[in-house]
Amino acid sequence: VDQMLQLARLDPESGLPDPQPVDLGTLAEAVCADLGPLILDKNLDFALDAAPGCTVTGQAEWLRVLIRNLVDNAIRYTPLGGTVRVCVSRATGHCRLCVSDSGSGIPAGERDAVLRRFHRLDQGGQPGSGLGLAIVARIAELHGAVLELAESENQQGLKVVMLWKILA
């Protein structure tokens, strides 16, 4: 129900309310700290690399939801003792958020479909509504970010990359 309400608030007609400078690294640190107990429960090899000064214009609470959904999914779909990496970096003209894991991944043919509402893959019987990645996609769209789902570097798991254009 909470995710359905979040998605309803992301109405395309209302646009982005009250955009402010948001430091993605600080936000990622806070989200990962909140999810720390889940990381410890699964004994994950977890790393966060959050470069300072990666600031975008946006709505902080929505960006928190975006990061939380991505990191929570990575934790949820990674087996006990697996690997989760979160990286926030800055390149010329862009801020980049990358969340990768050693979980079951998403087949290439399903990657567009999982961004639609209520689409779920049958992976390990994890609970959920199929709205998490749809919410991420909508928040990314409202913030002018590019979202890419790919295979993790270790040829297993999922890598989600988000790019925001920044000024100077």
Side-chain angles (χ1 to χ4, degrees):
V1 172
D2 184 50
Q3 285 191 320
M4 289 179 72
L5 290 171
Q6 285 177 349
L7 200 53
R9 286 186 206 109
L10 298 172
D11 180 11
E13 301 300 319
S14 58
L16 189 62
D18 193 28
Q20 302 286 324
V22 179
D23 185 310
L24 289 177
T26 301
L27 207 52
E29 288 173 356
V31 167
C32 291
D34 290 346
L35 294 172
L38 297 176
I39 295 165
L40 292 173
D41 284 349
K42 290 191 79 173
N43 192 31
L44 296 177
D45 175 6
F46 182 86
L48 168 65
D49 181 12
C54 200
T55 303
V56 299
T57 300
Q59 210 284 330
E61 201 49 45
W62 288 2
L63 291 171
R64 177 183 301 278
V65 168
L66 178 146
I67 295 170
R68 184 177 179 87
N69 281 358
L70 292 177
V71 176
D72 182 68
N73 277 355
I75 294 167
R76 184 181 307 211
Y77 292 103
T78 298
L80 292 171
T83 302
V84 174
R85 300 283 182 258
V86 179
C87 180
V88 177
S89 59
R90 184 177 174 147
T92 306
H94 290 88
C95 277
R96 181 178 187 262
L97 167 69
C98 179
V99 178
S100 62
D101 63 61
S102 62
S104 52
I106 298 174
E110 291 284 328
R111 291 185 187 144
D112 286 337
V114 297
L115 299 176
R116 293 192 304 263
R117 297 173 184 185
F118 304 111
H119 186 87
R120 286 186 39 85
L121 299 177
D122 185 22
Q123 293 183 327
Q126 290 293 328
S129 60
L131 290 173
L133 288 175
I135 290 169
V136 166
R138 183 67 188 125
I139 293 170
E141 179 185 355
L142 286 167
H143 285 81
V146 175
L147 169 64
E148 176 189 342
L149 303 180
E151 202 167 79
S152 191
E153 284 83 8
N154 62 8
Q155 302 297 315
Q156 180 182 347
L158 182 67
K159 175 171 75 171
V160 180
V161 177
M162 309 257 337
L163 289 173
W164 285 265
K165 255 188 177 175
I166 54 174
L167 301 174

